[in-house]
Structures are given as C-alpha cells and as structure tokens.
Amino acid sequence: MAKIETLTAYKCKFSYLQRNNPLLEKQREAIKEGKDPEYSFSDFIDIYQTYTKNLAIGENTDRAIILDEDKISEKEKKGLKMWHLVPSAGKQGKPVTVVKRKSGKKYDFGSDSAALYEHHVFIYESQDGLYAIFHRQNGSGCKSVFLETANKAIKSEGLKLEMELIVPMADGLKDATATKITLQFVKHDKSSDVADNIKGSKKKNIIRDLGLNLEASENKKILGVFKNMQAGKIDQAEAFAQIKAELKDSDDYNDAEIKLRLGNRYKKVKWNEFESIMGAHDISNALHEACRFSHDFVGELTKLADDYYKDIIESGEV
C-alpha cells in the first residue's frame, strides 16, 4: 500500500504574551500600542535548537521532540529566507520494543523512553510574512509538539508563536460538508487493565454527549461557526468556544466528534484531528512519481514544499 504524503501549511507570527508574561513591565508600552515584536525566525531558531537539543517533552500531548544543530539547513534567495528542519519526534512515556528486521532480535525499552522518527519542516520568511509547511506521512507529523515546545522555549522572552492554518485552495477536503457534530464530556480514567496502568495509559470515558444535526435550520449558527473554522478564519479553540456559547449548560463539554460528507461518502473526524485533515495538501502521486526517477526523497519533497509555498503566496488568499 502506497504511503500517503501530505503538506500542511500555516501562516505564523510572533506576538507578545498577554498572560503570564515574565517581561510584562518591559513590554507593557509595546503591548498597549499594539506593536508586533521585532523578532524573526532567525532569532527564534537558535533558542529553539538549544531548548530541544536533548529532549523536549510536550505537556498537553504524549509526544517529544529533538532538533539537533546538524538537522537545520538555511539558505536565502532574493530576499526569501528558507529553513529545512529535520526534527525527530514521536511518542514518549510508553514502553517500546525495537525489532531488527534481519536478525529478528528484540530490544525492549521502558516507559522512560521515547520512540522518535524524522520529520520534515520547511520555513519561509520574507516581506510576505512567515510561513511553516509540515510534511506528514500516513497522518504522522510533528506540528503539535513543535508548536507547544516552541512556546515553552520563548516564554522567557515574553513571546509566543501563533500558527494559522491555511486550507488548500484546490484539495477536495475543503469542500467537505459537516453534517453532524457530537459534543462530548470526557474524563480520562485509569484503565481496568493493570498492564495499561503500568504503562501510564488512561481510558477515555465519555460521561455525556450531545449530537447536533448541522443540516437542521435550528443549528445554522453552529454550522456557520464550523464553516469559519473550515475556512481558516478562526482557530479550533475559538470555534469550540463559540459553539458552546450557542448552547445551554455546555460548560462541561471538552471534546467533540465531527461527521463530514465528502461527495457520496461520510467520514468521522475527532475534534483534535480536524485541523491536520482540513489542511492536508496531498502530494502522494507527485512525490512517488518524482522519486521513481530521481531516488531523492528529500530533494523532491523540498521542491514540492517550495512549489506549495509559491502557490500560497501567489493565490493572494493569505
């Protein structure tokens, strides 16, 4: 089965922390005047590489990331600065078994280990702004842990990195229609399986859910919120808050599931997976075809990321 290769793009910017800013007194005037910090990706990458040179662990995910200095390449062309980052990221805090394919020999590692895989991130900075393009293979990427650890790395600077999803203009999923959203009140309890508890696993326990038919006129406001998120006008957190604001007794809901119609078929999507699915620009055929002749995966992937960036800028949609 051929691998699914996608690119997901974000428009990025650095801004001042509004809450828990350790440099609030120093930055107060700039924040009050609505100024953007004079801070570039060049300033950021040195701090981030130092922060992640060993192992940076996400608090809101079960993922970790490492970015070695020799996994960062930089070039500049006609005022456009470009970085290619190859961080290693993946699951942490769970036992891992590594099997040698030729010998069949097994190596067991405990729950203090992390299973990390190489990922590819492309950064573009010019007068048009700052953009990040993340490569995902078979749905696996590193955006969430990258963003979380990036913000932990620069918090001491009184800054945060914001990423706004760019929905591909020509990909089929942008035309997906949401037909139902099910809000859920979820608690993560310890599993009844002793082995799971040793691994630190938690069982998702749905206490209560509320299904909303988005094809009904009574829910048109909620559908409108969803469409704004789908178009990239608001982020997931803001969309969830707006949806809850339209409902009574909704404070407890902390998760959701979405039912999408794509042509004649339907697909259920978890709330926290929606962004990566809607932002997916499928390059599978183009990448596989190019690699058949060149046998240069990274080179061909870089070309496709560069082309996607150019398409985004030329579209004028951002």
Side-chain angles (χ1 to χ4, degrees):
M1 184 177 178
K3 293 183 175 68
I4 299 173
E5 315 277 357
T6 62
L7 298 174
T8 306
Y10 298 85
K11 186 171 184 178
C12 308
K13 73 171 184 176
F14 295 101
S15 59
Y16 292 110
L17 279 170
Q18 299 293 320
R19 295 180 181 178
N20 302 318
N21 185 338
L23 301 181
L24 182 60
E25 290 304 316
K26 181 179 179 180
Q27 299 171 350
R28 188 183 297 277
E29 284 303 312
I31 295 172
K32 186 177 180 180
E33 295 172 12
K35 292 182 179 179
D36 291 326
E38 294 182 2
Y39 196 78
S40 68
F41 194 82
S42 297
D43 300 321
F44 163 81
I45 193 59
D46 290 338
I47 292 175
Y48 186 69
Q49 194 280 315
T50 300
Y51 185 80
T52 58
K53 66 182 179 181
N54 294 315
L55 186 72
I57 297 174
E59 294 177 358
N60 299 319
T61 67
D62 59 353
R63 296 176 69 80
I65 191 168
I66 289 176
L67 181 60
D68 294 321
E69 189 175 3
D70 61 356
K71 297 294 185 178
I72 302 171
S73 59
E74 179 182 354
K75 60 183 179 181
E76 184 172 355
K77 184 177 181 181
K78 296 181 179 179
L80 174 64
K81 291 184 178 180
M82 295 168 277
W83 288 264
H84 177 203
L85 315 180
V86 189
S88 294
K91 299 281 187 178
Q92 59 87 20
K94 295 183 179 180
V96 177
T97 298
V98 176
V99 181
K100 288 286 188 178
R101 293 172 62 182
K102 289 185 177 180
S103 66
K105 190 172 181 179
K106 297 178 181 179
Y107 300 85
D108 293 318
F109 300 89
S111 59
D112 62 339
S113 49
L116 307 182
Y117 303 87
E118 282 193 347
H119 295 273
H120 297 274
V121 183
F122 302 91
I123 307 294
Y124 305 85
E125 187 174 50
S126 72
Q127 62 181 10
D128 292 314
L130 176 63
Y131 294 84
I133 295 178
F134 289 78
H135 170 243
R136 294 172 65 87
Q137 188 175 81
N138 290 339
S140 177
C142 67
K143 180 261 180 178
S144 295
V145 69
F146 176 86
L147 180 58
E148 184 179 359
T149 52
N151 281 321
K152 289 168 71 176
I154 59 175
K155 183 178 180 180
S156 62
E157 306 285 315
L159 302 173
K160 63 178 178 179
L161 173 62
E162 298 179 79
M163 290 187 175
E164 179 184 348
L165 177 68
I166 297 173
V167 179
M169 295 297 105
D171 286 300
L173 273 174
K174 80 180 181 69
D175 296 321
T177 302
T179 61
K180 183 178 180 180
I181 182 169
T182 302
L183 298 180
Q184 300 172 337
F185 171 37
V186 174
K187 282 187 176 180
H188 292 281
D189 298 331
K190 283 189 175 181
S191 173
S192 59
D193 188 326
V194 176
D196 283 344
N197 292 328
I198 292 174
K199 297 175 185 178
S201 300
K202 290 186 178 180
K203 180 181 178 182
K204 181 178 178 180
N205 188 14
I206 300 175
I207 307 299
R208 184 169 64 253
D209 61 24
L210 174 64
L212 301 171
N213 178 8
L214 298 181
E215 295 179 309
S217 60
E218 289 83 353
N219 293 322
K220 64 180 181 181
K221 285 188 178 180
I222 293 174
L223 179 60
V225 172
F226 188 89
K227 286 182 176 179
N228 284 337
M229 180 179 69
Q230 194 170 356
K233 295 179 180 178
I234 56 176
D235 62 21
Q236 285 179 284
E238 176 64 20
F240 201 71
Q242 289 186 20
I243 290 171
K244 288 174 64 174
E246 293 294 327
L247 304 170
K248 294 181 180 179
D249 302 321
S250 62
D251 288 346
D252 285 342
Y253 293 113
N254 55 8
D255 206 347
E257 186 176 74
I258 304 160
K259 186 177 182 180
L260 298 171
R261 182 173 64 239
L262 300 96
N264 295 322
R265 60 190 179 92
Y266 289 86
K267 181 181 181 68
K268 286 187 177 180
V269 180
K270 294 178 182 178
W271 181 262
N272 63 2
E273 294 177 350
F274 178 78
E275 182 180 75
S276 61
I277 291 173
M278 293 308 301
H281 171 55
D282 196 327
I283 58 168
S284 303
N285 291 338
L287 183 58
H288 296 159
E289 189 67 21
C291 287
R292 279 179 56 198
F293 296 97
S294 70
H295 304 289
D296 180 8
F297 177 86
V298 173
E300 299 299 344
L301 178 62
T302 302
K303 289 178 186 177
L304 288 167
D306 290 349
D307 289 343
Y308 188 32
Y309 167 74
K310 291 174 185 174
D311 290 343
I312 289 169
I313 298 301
E314 290 173 1
S315 73
E317 296 286 339
V318 292

